[in-house]
Amino acid sequence: MQKNPQQELKNNPHDVIDKTQLRQIESVHRGFLYQHLFAVGCLFKLAGQEKGAVAVERDEDVEITTNDGTIYVQVKYRSNPLARSDIKTTLERFDRIRSEPNSKRFQFLIVSSSELGPQLTVDVKDRTWPVDVAILTPTSRNTFSDRVPCVWFSLEEAVTWCYAAAGNLPFGTLRPETLVWKLAACVQFAATGDDASRRDHLFAREDLPVLFEQLVDQLQEFPSTPLEYRPQADEPVFIGDEQTRLIVGFSGAGKTTWASWQAQHSSAACAYFGVVDPQGSDLAKALARELAARFVIGQPESAALFPAFSGIEALQCLNGRLRPDKAPVVVMDNVHQVEPEEIKRVIGACSNIRFILLAQPGSNATRLAAMMEIEVECLKGWDADTVASVFATEGSVIGPGTAKNWRLTTGGLPLYVKNSARLCIQRYEGNAEVFWKEVSHGNHLDGLAQESILRMTIEDLSSDEASLVAVMSLASLRLTPSEIEALADALP
């Protein structure tokens, strides 16, 4: 039977020769870990400020720079009540800091995991106690709550608090446990003075997004538009008087192309957001990340976004940074995939943003329009003249009657009109009338005419093109032309 080394070590009465030394070593490491976790807690608090810094192991265990000066913090991890003798040297060091000629405004704070002993309790109430020195214990009121975490009785409480704080960071990419222990290691490394990036032992507010590995990058852009854009019949204007617009059209109706082309020619600041996997993600948080990257990140006040604990709060913070008289336009695509209540909640947090919602017709679009009390606008497709122009571009000249027939068959939807024009050349030598008759007849046997057009389009693809389309269909986000080219090159 194979022996378990861990169990053997546990059962071995001689695993430690000097148990007293072991307890002393463990006590030292508990104290340092408590101090490091407290510094991590201060970093999480710093994320809620627009400016500032946290330094470790300089004149004091932790030093917090604020607009009002510096808070010098001595951290004590004790199992017994805190006595005056435990902080004698600390108070003497505070006196030296006060006496420095270059000292700016300062406050002094002693953090103790244990409560005050009887004599120290009396001392802090005495008139001789320094007015600029405060002591925080687990049961005392935290008058520095915007700068330091609560005081914990134990390391277990410290870890639990830090996990929760890490989990509340918006736009995070790391598991809370992973982030906490990464930060604790960074604090310890900075304390050694060997961290080349922190010779001053300091963590600045502007460093935190990278340190926390918060992802605030714009991941979505407006899809590219064709070189020659053909307007649809009676196209809706891009910017109206309403804060929220709802544009409805079937798949292939050209909603996204219309929005992209209009955005390119609009003087307003515009952003695109395509809804992806709404059931498995926080829509508000994902939208906040996109809009923060587009409209706020890089500005001095951008730090104020990070304290938000939810997507809606982040949107509200972002909304407060935008000017109503210069309201940006946000195009939200595929909103029919989201419950209307969620869309309404998101828009309600963004009074300084104009929204153009793109959706396919259906119950969600109908409910959304009723709930938001907005009028549904539709893309009406290309008219017969435009249909004839598309066929002519592909090399098939058609008359007015045939153009009207194709307009009715395809609904004027750009996707189906363009596919029909290509298929007309490839399969019917440009005879659009014969092709239309076959598609119209097939409509009664094989389903919608649009389905026949799409089926023939897929059948005409080469094996390489078909493989590329199959792989592209797996993508959750809309791919850029350069990404599609890279994908094509990577296929065997």
Side-chain angles (χ1 to χ4, degrees), residues 164-207:
N168 283 332
L169 284 175
F171 318 131
T173 60
L174 295 179
R175 288 169 52 89
E177 298 87 342
T178 303
L179 177 59
V180 168
W181 295 119
K182 169 195 169 178
L183 294 177
C186 289
V187 167
Q188 185 177 22
F189 190 27
T192 67
D194 287 340
D195 184 351
S197 63
R198 290 188 173 82
R199 294 297 188 191
D200 52 3
H201 298 209
L202 189 134
F203 296 84
R205 172 61 185 83
E206 56 267 24
D207 298 336

mmCIF file of all heavy atoms in Angstrom, residues 164-207:
data_model
loop_
_atom_site.group_PDB
_atom_site.id
_atom_site.type_symbol
_atom_site.label_atom_id
_atom_site.label_comp_id
_atom_site.label_asym_id
_atom_site.label_seq_id
_atom_site.Cartn_x
_atom_site.Cartn_y
_atom_site.Cartn_z
ATOM 1 N N ALA A 164 -14.259 40.087 -1.223
ATOM 2 C CA ALA A 164 -15.498 40.787 -1.571
ATOM 3 C C ALA A 164 -15.196 42.092 -2.299
ATOM 4 O O ALA A 164 -15.861 42.435 -3.280
ATOM 5 C CB ALA A 164 -16.310 41.060 -0.307
ATOM 6 N N ALA A 165 -14.178 42.827 -1.828
ATOM 7 C CA ALA A 165 -13.817 44.091 -2.480
ATOM 8 C C ALA A 165 -13.339 43.849 -3.905
ATOM 9 O O ALA A 165 -13.676 44.593 -4.831
ATOM 10 C CB ALA A 165 -12.744 44.818 -1.670
ATOM 11 N N ALA A 166 -12.548 42.799 -4.105
ATOM 12 C CA ALA A 166 -12.055 42.475 -5.448
ATOM 13 C C ALA A 166 -13.202 42.076 -6.366
ATOM 14 O O ALA A 166 -13.212 42.416 -7.551
ATOM 15 C CB ALA A 166 -11.018 41.354 -5.364
ATOM 16 N N GLY A 167 -14.172 41.367 -5.808
ATOM 17 C CA GLY A 167 -15.314 40.944 -6.615
ATOM 18 C C GLY A 167 -16.201 42.092 -7.039
ATOM 19 O O GLY A 167 -16.941 41.977 -8.021
ATOM 20 N N ASN A 168 -16.135 43.211 -6.329
ATOM 21 C CA ASN A 168 -16.967 44.370 -6.656
ATOM 22 C C ASN A 168 -16.322 45.327 -7.657
ATOM 23 O O ASN A 168 -16.944 46.302 -8.057
ATOM 24 C CB ASN A 168 -17.308 45.142 -5.378
ATOM 25 C CG ASN A 168 -18.393 44.461 -4.572
ATOM 26 O OD1 ASN A 168 -19.227 43.757 -5.122
ATOM 27 N ND2 ASN A 168 -18.371 44.645 -3.265
ATOM 28 N N LEU A 169 -15.081 45.059 -8.031
ATOM 29 C CA LEU A 169 -14.432 45.933 -9.001
ATOM 30 C C LEU A 169 -15.079 45.760 -10.375
ATOM 31 O O LEU A 169 -15.210 44.634 -10.860
ATOM 32 C CB LEU A 169 -12.941 45.607 -9.114
ATOM 33 C CG LEU A 169 -12.033 46.086 -7.990
ATOM 34 C CD1 LEU A 169 -10.621 45.552 -8.215
ATOM 35 C CD2 LEU A 169 -12.009 47.600 -7.910
ATOM 36 N N PRO A 170 -15.479 46.846 -11.018
ATOM 37 C CA PRO A 170 -16.037 46.706 -12.363
ATOM 38 C C PRO A 170 -14.960 46.405 -13.387
ATOM 39 O O PRO A 170 -13.788 46.742 -13.194
ATOM 40 C CB PRO A 170 -16.665 48.086 -12.616
ATOM 41 C CG PRO A 170 -15.862 49.019 -11.776
ATOM 42 C CD PRO A 170 -15.449 48.239 -10.559
ATOM 43 N N PHE A 171 -15.357 45.725 -14.449
ATOM 44 C CA PHE A 171 -14.489 45.449 -15.596
ATOM 45 C C PHE A 171 -13.316 44.538 -15.239
ATOM 46 O O PHE A 171 -12.292 44.544 -15.910
ATOM 47 C CB PHE A 171 -13.942 46.745 -16.222
ATOM 48 C CG PHE A 171 -14.945 47.835 -16.337
ATOM 49 C CD1 PHE A 171 -14.655 49.115 -15.904
ATOM 50 C CD2 PHE A 171 -16.205 47.594 -16.870
ATOM 51 C CE1 PHE A 171 -15.601 50.137 -16.012
ATOM 52 C CE2 PHE A 171 -17.143 48.600 -16.976
ATOM 53 C CZ PHE A 171 -16.840 49.866 -16.547
ATOM 54 N N GLY A 172 -13.423 43.783 -14.160
ATOM 55 C CA GLY A 172 -12.315 42.921 -13.759
ATOM 56 C C GLY A 172 -12.187 41.705 -14.661
ATOM 57 O O GLY A 172 -13.167 41.181 -15.177
ATOM 58 N N THR A 173 -10.959 41.242 -14.853
ATOM 59 C CA THR A 173 -10.712 40.047 -15.664
ATOM 60 C C THR A 173 -10.170 38.895 -14.827
ATOM 61 O O THR A 173 -10.054 37.779 -15.322
ATOM 62 C CB THR A 173 -9.704 40.356 -16.787
ATOM 63 O OG1 THR A 173 -8.467 40.800 -16.209
ATOM 64 C CG2 THR A 173 -10.239 41.439 -17.710
ATOM 65 N N LEU A 174 -9.809 39.152 -13.563
ATOM 66 C CA LEU A 174 -9.254 38.109 -12.702
ATOM 67 C C LEU A 174 -10.289 37.660 -11.684
ATOM 68 O O LEU A 174 -11.143 38.435 -11.257
ATOM 69 C CB LEU A 174 -8.018 38.629 -11.957
ATOM 70 C CG LEU A 174 -6.793 38.998 -12.776
ATOM 71 C CD1 LEU A 174 -5.688 39.508 -11.858
ATOM 72 C CD2 LEU A 174 -6.285 37.811 -13.576
ATOM 73 N N ARG A 175 -10.179 36.397 -11.277
ATOM 74 C CA ARG A 175 -10.991 35.932 -10.160
ATOM 75 C C ARG A 175 -10.610 36.741 -8.920
ATOM 76 O O ARG A 175 -9.430 37.094 -8.728
ATOM 77 C CB ARG A 175 -10.739 34.443 -9.894
ATOM 78 C CG ARG A 175 -11.332 33.510 -10.943
ATOM 79 C CD ARG A 175 -10.804 32.092 -10.739
ATOM 80 N NE ARG A 175 -10.982 31.637 -9.366
ATOM 81 C CZ ARG A 175 -12.071 31.019 -8.907
ATOM 82 N NH1 ARG A 175 -13.074 30.819 -9.737
ATOM 83 N NH2 ARG A 175 -12.145 30.627 -7.661
ATOM 84 N N PRO A 176 -11.565 37.059 -8.036
ATOM 85 C CA PRO A 176 -11.247 37.854 -6.847
ATOM 86 C C PRO A 176 -10.093 37.271 -6.030
ATOM 87 O O PRO A 176 -9.207 38.006 -5.573
ATOM 88 C CB PRO A 176 -12.556 37.843 -6.054
ATOM 89 C CG PRO A 176 -13.610 37.688 -7.098
ATOM 90 C CD PRO A 176 -13.008 36.786 -8.139
ATOM 91 N N GLU A 177 -10.081 35.948 -5.848
ATOM 92 C CA GLU A 177 -9.015 35.314 -5.070
ATOM 93 C C GLU A 177 -7.651 35.537 -5.727
ATOM 94 O O GLU A 177 -6.666 35.846 -5.057
ATOM 95 C CB GLU A 177 -9.277 33.811 -4.920
ATOM 96 C CG GLU A 177 -10.563 33.478 -4.177
ATOM 97 C CD GLU A 177 -11.765 33.412 -5.092
ATOM 98 O OE1 GLU A 177 -11.687 33.950 -6.226
ATOM 99 O OE2 GLU A 177 -12.790 32.838 -4.673
ATOM 100 N N THR A 178 -7.623 35.395 -7.040
ATOM 101 C CA THR A 178 -6.363 35.583 -7.771
ATOM 102 C C THR A 178 -5.875 37.021 -7.642
ATOM 103 O O THR A 178 -4.680 37.269 -7.420
ATOM 104 C CB THR A 178 -6.555 35.229 -9.255
ATOM 105 O OG1 THR A 178 -7.035 33.888 -9.359
ATOM 106 C CG2 THR A 178 -5.255 35.356 -10.028
ATOM 107 N N LEU A 179 -6.789 37.986 -7.776
ATOM 108 C CA LEU A 179 -6.394 39.388 -7.697
ATOM 109 C C LEU A 179 -5.869 39.739 -6.308
ATOM 110 O O LEU A 179 -4.853 40.440 -6.176
ATOM 111 C CB LEU A 179 -7.579 40.289 -8.053
ATOM 112 C CG LEU A 179 -7.318 41.795 -7.942
ATOM 113 C CD1 LEU A 179 -6.167 42.223 -8.837
ATOM 114 C CD2 LEU A 179 -8.580 42.588 -8.282
ATOM 115 N N VAL A 180 -6.536 39.256 -5.267
ATOM 116 C CA VAL A 180 -6.122 39.593 -3.901
ATOM 117 C C VAL A 180 -4.702 39.106 -3.632
ATOM 118 O O VAL A 180 -3.854 39.850 -3.108
ATOM 119 C CB VAL A 180 -7.103 39.005 -2.874
ATOM 120 C CG1 VAL A 180 -6.521 39.091 -1.459
ATOM 121 C CG2 VAL A 180 -8.432 39.740 -2.937
ATOM 122 N N TRP A 181 -4.404 37.860 -3.992
ATOM 123 C CA TRP A 181 -3.076 37.328 -3.691
ATOM 124 C C TRP A 181 -2.015 37.925 -4.616
ATOM 125 O O TRP A 181 -0.853 38.062 -4.234
ATOM 126 C CB TRP A 181 -3.083 35.805 -3.754
ATOM 127 C CG TRP A 181 -3.956 35.230 -2.673
ATOM 128 C CD1 TRP A 181 -5.062 34.470 -2.826
ATOM 129 C CD2 TRP A 181 -3.804 35.442 -1.265
ATOM 130 N NE1 TRP A 181 -5.631 34.184 -1.618
ATOM 131 C CE2 TRP A 181 -4.869 34.756 -0.635
ATOM 132 C CE3 TRP A 181 -2.903 36.137 -0.470
ATOM 133 C CZ2 TRP A 181 -5.036 34.757 0.747
ATOM 134 C CZ3 TRP A 181 -3.071 36.127 0.905
ATOM 135 C CH2 TRP A 181 -4.120 35.448 1.501
ATOM 136 N N LYS A 182 -2.420 38.322 -5.811
ATOM 137 C CA LYS A 182 -1.484 39.054 -6.668
ATOM 138 C C LYS A 182 -1.120 40.387 -6.026
ATOM 139 O O LYS A 182 0.057 40.762 -5.955
ATOM 140 C CB LYS A 182 -2.102 39.301 -8.043
ATOM 141 C CG LYS A 182 -1.290 40.280 -8.892
ATOM 142 C CD LYS A 182 -2.061 40.814 -10.079
ATOM 143 C CE LYS A 182 -1.302 41.969 -10.726
ATOM 144 N NZ LYS A 182 -1.987 42.505 -11.916
ATOM 145 N N LEU A 183 -2.121 41.110 -5.523
ATOM 146 C CA LEU A 183 -1.866 42.405 -4.902
ATOM 147 C C LEU A 183 -1.036 42.264 -3.629
ATOM 148 O O LEU A 183 -0.141 43.073 -3.361
ATOM 149 C CB LEU A 183 -3.187 43.104 -4.584
ATOM 150 C CG LEU A 183 -4.045 43.519 -5.781
ATOM 151 C CD1 LEU A 183 -5.355 44.131 -5.309
ATOM 152 C CD2 LEU A 183 -3.295 44.493 -6.677
ATOM 153 N N ALA A 184 -1.323 41.218 -2.844
ATOM 154 C CA ALA A 184 -0.544 40.995 -1.619
ATOM 155 C C ALA A 184 0.924 40.762 -1.956
ATOM 156 O O ALA A 184 1.825 41.263 -1.267
ATOM 157 C CB ALA A 184 -1.121 39.812 -0.840
ATOM 158 N N ALA A 185 1.172 39.998 -3.021
ATOM 159 C CA ALA A 185 2.553 39.755 -3.446
ATOM 160 C C ALA A 185 3.204 41.040 -3.943
ATOM 161 O O ALA A 185 4.380 41.301 -3.679
ATOM 162 C CB ALA A 185 2.585 38.681 -4.532
ATOM 163 N N CYS A 186 2.430 41.869 -4.673
ATOM 164 C CA CYS A 186 2.968 43.139 -5.165
ATOM 165 C C CYS A 186 3.326 44.060 -4.008
ATOM 166 O O CYS A 186 4.353 44.759 -4.037
ATOM 167 C CB CYS A 186 1.955 43.816 -6.088
ATOM 168 S SG CYS A 186 1.739 43.014 -7.698
ATOM 169 N N VAL A 187 2.474 44.085 -2.984
ATOM 170 C CA VAL A 187 2.756 44.903 -1.802
ATOM 171 C C VAL A 187 4.027 44.417 -1.114
ATOM 172 O O VAL A 187 4.896 45.209 -0.732
ATOM 173 C CB VAL A 187 1.556 44.868 -0.834
ATOM 174 C CG1 VAL A 187 1.946 45.434 0.530
ATOM 175 C CG2 VAL A 187 0.380 45.652 -1.416
ATOM 176 N N GLN A 188 4.143 43.115 -0.957
ATOM 177 C CA GLN A 188 5.329 42.559 -0.301
ATOM 178 C C GLN A 188 6.598 42.867 -1.103
ATOM 179 O O GLN A 188 7.636 43.231 -0.530
ATOM 180 C CB GLN A 188 5.168 41.047 -0.141
ATOM 181 C CG GLN A 188 6.296 40.389 0.644
ATOM 182 C CD GLN A 188 6.045 38.906 0.832
ATOM 183 O OE1 GLN A 188 5.289 38.294 0.084
ATOM 184 N NE2 GLN A 188 6.672 38.313 1.829
ATOM 185 N N PHE A 189 6.513 42.737 -2.417
ATOM 186 C CA PHE A 189 7.675 43.017 -3.273
ATOM 187 C C PHE A 189 8.056 44.493 -3.185
ATOM 188 O O PHE A 189 9.234 44.851 -3.086
ATOM 189 C CB PHE A 189 7.350 42.616 -4.707
ATOM 190 C CG PHE A 189 8.527 42.637 -5.649
ATOM 191 C CD1 PHE A 189 9.827 42.449 -5.196
ATOM 192 C CD2 PHE A 189 8.335 42.846 -7.008
ATOM 193 C CE1 PHE A 189 10.913 42.475 -6.065
ATOM 194 C CE2 PHE A 189 9.400 42.868 -7.888
ATOM 195 C CZ PHE A 189 10.701 42.692 -7.411
ATOM 196 N N ALA A 190 7.058 45.369 -3.216
ATOM 197 C CA ALA A 190 7.336 46.802 -3.110
ATOM 198 C C ALA A 190 7.990 47.131 -1.772
ATOM 199 O O ALA A 190 8.869 48.001 -1.692
ATOM 200 C CB ALA A 190 6.055 47.602 -3.283
ATOM 201 N N ALA A 191 7.567 46.427 -0.709
ATOM 202 C CA ALA A 191 8.119 46.679 0.620
ATOM 203 C C ALA A 191 9.603 46.337 0.703
ATOM 204 O O ALA A 191 10.332 46.895 1.529
ATOM 205 C CB ALA A 191 7.337 45.895 1.668
ATOM 206 N N THR A 192 10.070 45.431 -0.158
ATOM 207 C CA THR A 192 11.487 45.057 -0.124
ATOM 208 C C THR A 192 12.393 46.125 -0.723
ATOM 209 O O THR A 192 13.598 46.143 -0.476
ATOM 210 C CB THR A 192 11.721 43.747 -0.911
ATOM 211 O OG1 THR A 192 11.475 43.989 -2.318
ATOM 212 C CG2 THR A 192 10.817 42.629 -0.408
ATOM 213 N N GLY A 193 11.827 47.003 -1.555
ATOM 214 C CA GLY A 193 12.638 47.999 -2.233
ATOM 215 C C GLY A 193 13.299 47.482 -3.488
ATOM 216 O O GLY A 193 14.019 48.221 -4.167
ATOM 217 N N ASP A 194 13.076 46.206 -3.833
ATOM 218 C CA ASP A 194 13.697 45.613 -5.014
ATOM 219 C C ASP A 194 12.817 45.682 -6.260
ATOM 220 O O ASP A 194 13.244 45.255 -7.328
ATOM 221 C CB ASP A 194 14.059 44.146 -4.733
ATOM 222 C CG ASP A 194 15.248 44.007 -3.795
ATOM 223 O OD1 ASP A 194 16.001 44.986 -3.674
ATOM 224 O OD2 ASP A 194 15.406 42.928 -3.197
ATOM 225 N N ASP A 195 11.601 46.179 -6.095
ATOM 226 C CA ASP A 195 10.706 46.308 -7.243
ATOM 227 C C ASP A 195 11.152 47.521 -8.060
ATOM 228 O O ASP A 195 10.995 48.675 -7.639
ATOM 229 C CB ASP A 195 9.260 46.485 -6.767
ATOM 230 C CG ASP A 195 8.261 46.518 -7.910
ATOM 231 O OD1 ASP A 195 8.703 46.575 -9.077
ATOM 232 O OD2 ASP A 195 7.049 46.494 -7.650
ATOM 233 N N ALA A 196 11.738 47.255 -9.227
ATOM 234 C CA ALA A 196 12.295 48.341 -10.050
ATOM 235 C C ALA A 196 11.236 49.346 -10.466
ATOM 236 O O ALA A 196 11.545 50.526 -10.697
ATOM 237 C CB ALA A 196 12.978 47.751 -11.287
ATOM 238 N N SER A 197 9.984 48.912 -10.578
ATOM 239 C CA SER A 197 8.915 49.824 -10.988
ATOM 240 C C SER A 197 8.380 50.638 -9.821
ATOM 241 O O SER A 197 7.588 51.565 -10.018
ATOM 242 C CB SER A 197 7.767 49.037 -11.632
ATOM 243 O OG SER A 197 7.182 48.151 -10.698
ATOM 244 N N ARG A 198 8.826 50.289 -8.589
ATOM 245 C CA ARG A 198 8.338 50.998 -7.391
ATOM 246 C C ARG A 198 9.472 51.203 -6.400
ATOM 247 O O ARG A 198 9.411 50.753 -5.258
ATOM 248 C CB ARG A 198 7.193 50.222 -6.731
ATOM 249 C CG ARG A 198 5.926 50.232 -7.554
ATOM 250 C CD ARG A 198 4.748 49.636 -6.826
ATOM 251 N NE ARG A 198 3.547 49.831 -7.606
ATOM 252 C CZ ARG A 198 3.173 49.053 -8.621
ATOM 253 N NH1 ARG A 198 3.924 48.022 -8.953
ATOM 254 N NH2 ARG A 198 2.069 49.299 -9.286
ATOM 255 N N ARG A 199 10.507 51.867 -6.840
ATOM 256 C CA ARG A 199 11.627 52.152 -5.934
ATOM 257 C C ARG A 199 11.175 53.010 -4.761
ATOM 258 O O ARG A 199 11.797 52.990 -3.693
ATOM 259 C CB ARG A 199 12.753 52.874 -6.693
ATOM 260 C CG ARG A 199 13.421 52.040 -7.772
ATOM 261 C CD ARG A 199 14.107 50.822 -7.215
ATOM 262 N NE ARG A 199 14.892 50.129 -8.228
ATOM 263 C CZ ARG A 199 15.416 48.928 -8.056
ATOM 264 N NH1 ARG A 199 15.241 48.283 -6.916
ATOM 265 N NH2 ARG A 199 16.104 48.360 -9.031
ATOM 266 N N ASP A 200 10.095 53.770 -4.962
ATOM 267 C CA ASP A 200 9.587 54.622 -3.892
ATOM 268 C C ASP A 200 8.532 53.914 -3.044
ATOM 269 O O ASP A 200 7.889 54.543 -2.205
ATOM 270 C CB ASP A 200 9.005 55.911 -4.472
ATOM 271 C CG ASP A 200 7.984 55.643 -5.572
ATOM 272 O OD1 ASP A 200 7.685 54.456 -5.839
ATOM 273 O OD2 ASP A 200 7.479 56.614 -6.169
ATOM 274 N N HIS A 201 8.324 52.600 -3.286
ATOM 275 C CA HIS A 201 7.368 51.790 -2.515
ATOM 276 C C HIS A 201 5.922 52.278 -2.714
ATOM 277 O O HIS A 201 5.072 52.017 -1.873
ATOM 278 C CB HIS A 201 7.680 51.833 -1.014
ATOM 279 C CG HIS A 201 9.016 51.287 -0.637
ATOM 280 N ND1 HIS A 201 9.246 50.704 0.589
ATOM 281 C CD2 HIS A 201 10.186 51.212 -1.293
ATOM 282 C CE1 HIS A 201 10.519 50.311 0.668
ATOM 283 N NE2 HIS A 201 11.100 50.622 -0.485
ATOM 284 N N LEU A 202 5.637 52.934 -3.804
ATOM 285 C CA LEU A 202 4.377 53.664 -3.941
ATOM 286 C C LEU A 202 3.485 53.086 -5.037
ATOM 287 O O LEU A 202 3.957 52.704 -6.108
ATOM 288 C CB LEU A 202 4.682 55.132 -4.242
ATOM 289 C CG LEU A 202 3.512 56.103 -4.223
ATOM 290 C CD1 LEU A 202 3.878 57.357 -3.443
ATOM 291 C CD2 LEU A 202 3.152 56.483 -5.670
ATOM 292 N N PHE A 203 2.190 53.057 -4.746
ATOM 293 C CA PHE A 203 1.160 52.669 -5.717
ATOM 294 C C PHE A 203 0.289 53.901 -5.973
ATOM 295 O O PHE A 203 -0.435 54.349 -5.079
ATOM 296 C CB PHE A 203 0.284 51.536 -5.170
ATOM 297 C CG PHE A 203 1.025 50.256 -4.921
ATOM 298 C CD1 PHE A 203 1.718 50.064 -3.724
ATOM 299 C CD2 PHE A 203 1.036 49.236 -5.861
ATOM 300 C CE1 PHE A 203 2.404 48.882 -3.480
ATOM 301 C CE2 PHE A 203 1.720 48.049 -5.624
ATOM 302 C CZ PHE A 203 2.416 47.874 -4.432
ATOM 303 N N ALA A 204 0.367 54.456 -7.181
ATOM 304 C CA ALA A 204 -0.397 55.658 -7.505
ATOM 305 C C ALA A 204 -1.784 55.288 -8.021
ATOM 306 O O ALA A 204 -2.001 54.196 -8.558
ATOM 307 C CB ALA A 204 0.346 56.485 -8.554
ATOM 308 N N ARG A 205 -2.729 56.214 -7.860
ATOM 309 C CA ARG A 205 -4.113 55.958 -8.292
ATOM 310 C C ARG A 205 -4.184 55.605 -9.769
ATOM 311 O O ARG A 205 -4.910 54.696 -10.156
ATOM 312 C CB ARG A 205 -4.972 57.202 -8.001
ATOM 313 C CG ARG A 205 -6.388 57.125 -8.587
ATOM 314 C CD ARG A 205 -7.160 55.954 -7.999
ATOM 315 N NE ARG A 205 -8.457 55.772 -8.616
ATOM 316 C CZ ARG A 205 -8.673 55.119 -9.748
ATOM 317 N NH1 ARG A 205 -7.640 54.608 -10.429
ATOM 318 N NH2 ARG A 205 -9.891 54.956 -10.216
ATOM 319 N N GLU A 206 -3.387 56.299 -10.590
ATOM 320 C CA GLU A 206 -3.462 56.044 -12.035
ATOM 321 C C GLU A 206 -2.902 54.679 -12.424
ATOM 322 O O GLU A 206 -3.123 54.203 -13.541
ATOM 323 C CB GLU A 206 -2.748 57.145 -12.817
ATOM 324 C CG GLU A 206 -1.300 57.364 -12.419
ATOM 325 C CD GLU A 206 -1.139 58.441 -11.362
ATOM 326 O OE1 GLU A 206 -2.118 58.698 -10.612
ATOM 327 O OE2 GLU A 206 -0.041 59.024 -11.283
ATOM 328 N N ASP A 207 -2.178 54.031 -11.508
ATOM 329 C CA ASP A 207 -1.622 52.704 -11.801
ATOM 330 C C ASP A 207 -2.636 51.581 -11.597
ATOM 331 O O ASP A 207 -2.413 50.452 -12.051
ATOM 332 C CB ASP A 207 -0.409 52.415 -10.903
ATOM 333 C CG ASP A 207 0.728 53.396 -11.117
ATOM 334 O OD1 ASP A 207 0.787 53.988 -12.205
ATOM 335 O OD2 ASP A 207 1.547 53.549 -10.195
#
